[in-house]
Amino acid sequence: GLLLVIMIVWFCMKKKRNWTMSTSKVHSSTDVGEAQKVQDRKVIQAMQTFMDQTFRDRSYTGQFKPQKLQVMEVFRVKNYSAMADLQEYKNELRERRGVCQTLSEQVLSANPPSQLQAASDETMNEYLMFHGTNAAAANAIIETDFRLPKDHKHGAVYGSGIYVAETNTKAHMYCTPDNRGWVPILVVRAILGDIHSTDAESPDTDDLERMVRGGAADSICGDRRNLRYNFSGWREFIVYDNAQVAVEWL
């Protein structure tokens, strides 16, 4: 898929850890990602606008207290294989669902600036969303694609899936900054289809995965806005098929 690499400096009350990223990590090929640094100031400003639009703090005070972010660098990446898988999934979903059910509350990232070329189909619940990670994982995703994890570093409250968020604030919780405070955040095109929402703090993950794999839903919305623990405070969205996501920006 298309991918831009955003280097973000985030002013927050968290300890900085080492993270390094070269300006080009990806080799040209027909089946791996290819990254190019963006020089167009309008695109960079559009990404800053998108970040500002989707910045949300949670309602309670914890050790994580973001205050401001700034886009530092942007890279555009193309991964034709991942985008082809995404389009194939979208075509199959349209045949199967027709029009997907919408959430009662609109996804916060639903209206990105036009310069980001989202062209999302909201009848399929297709949106740009955020995924926080570390440099090694970002490299792997750029070069290949998302992989369904065998284990999760952060607990996998909703099972063994790919987790994305409607707010960059939520995604930032899972990032590893370098000694400058810059972190990688992936901006992901996600096709959510019919979404099953749950506000349970610790849902039965087997039930959730069976629901999706059995066709009753296509993704899960974990609504943790009224919870206070276990990375709570926001909504997050989980898919169990990596064809439903393709990174467009980082």
Side-chain angles (χ1 to χ4, degrees):
L2 301 178
L3 181 152
L4 282 167
V5 181
I6 306 167
M7 305 300 299
I8 301 173
V9 59
W10 203 303
F11 302 93
C12 63
M13 298 168 59
K14 282 183 72 74
K15 181 180 179 181
K16 295 178 180 179
R17 287 167 284 183
N18 292 329
W19 176 72
T20 58
M21 175 180 273
S22 64
T23 57
S24 179
K25 311 175 296 301
V26 186
H27 300 288
S28 297
S29 178
T30 58
D31 59 356
V32 298
E34 180 178 281
Q36 291 185 342
K37 187 172 181 178
V38 172
Q39 303 293 342
D40 189 335
R41 296 302 305 175
K42 291 182 179 179
V43 174
I44 296 171
Q45 182 55 51
M47 182 58 70
Q48 182 66 66
T49 299
F50 188 41
M51 289 290 168
D52 293 343
Q53 289 174 349
T54 55
F55 183 95
R56 294 290 189 281
D57 198 3
R58 54 187 172 186
S59 58
Y60 65 92
T61 301
Q63 69 176 31
F64 181 81
K65 189 67 176 176
Q67 298 172 352
K68 181 179 173 59
L69 65 84
Q70 178 68 45
V71 174
M72 302 303 289
E73 292 180 335
V74 178
F75 292 75
R76 185 180 184 89
V77 176
K78 296 179 181 180
N79 186 318
Y80 296 105
S81 177
M83 189 57 73
D85 288 345
L86 186 80
Q87 186 61 49
E88 183 178 355
Y89 179 87
K90 184 176 178 179
N91 293 340
E92 183 275 332
L93 179 67
R94 184 178 286 110
E95 290 181 4
R96 179 162 49 91
R97 296 287 190 204
V99 174
C100 297
Q101 299 178 6
T102 59
L103 291 173
S104 58
E105 296 180 56
Q106 187 179 48
V107 171
L108 291 173
S109 58
N111 297 300
S114 60
Q115 293 88 342
L116 301 186
Q117 302 177 8
S120 298
D121 184 353
E122 293 189 16
T123 67
M124 299 289 100
N125 283 322
E126 177 182 4
Y127 304 103
L128 292 185
M129 310 193 89
F130 302 95
H131 179 84
T133 187
N134 57 59
N139 282 343
I141 294 168
I142 291 169
E143 293 176 352
T144 56
D145 196 358
F146 278 101
R147 297 284 189 268
L148 288 174
K150 295 181 179 179
D151 55 62
H152 276 268
K153 179 179 179 182
H154 298 288
V157 174
Y158 302 98
S160 184
I162 297 167
Y163 289 59
V164 293
E166 62 184 338
T167 65
N168 53 78
T169 330
K170 169 67 174 176
H172 178 263
M173 295 184 72
Y174 304 98
C175 292
T176 303
D178 66 6
N179 56 8
R180 301 168 295 181
W182 294 14
V183 300
I185 293 182
L186 300 166
V187 181
V188 178
R189 181 179 295 276
I191 299 177
L192 302 175
D194 276 356
I195 305 167
H196 172 76
S197 294
T198 175
D199 58 4
E201 182 168 0
S202 300
D204 187 314
T205 59
D206 290 338
D207 282 350
L208 295 180
E209 291 192 40
R210 277 195 296 268
M211 181 181 301
V212 172
R213 298 191 190 285
D218 304 300
S219 64
I220 300 298
C221 171
D223 189 348
R224 309 187 70 79
R225 291 174 296 180
N226 295 320
L227 302 176
R228 294 181 59 88
Y229 305 104
N230 297 326
F231 296 93
S232 294
W234 301 276
R235 291 193 300 189
E236 55 190 311
F237 298 81
I238 304 88
V239 300
Y240 305 93
D241 184 343
N242 68 345
Q244 291 177 251
V245 289
V247 183
E248 295 217 41
W249 313 80
L250 167 64

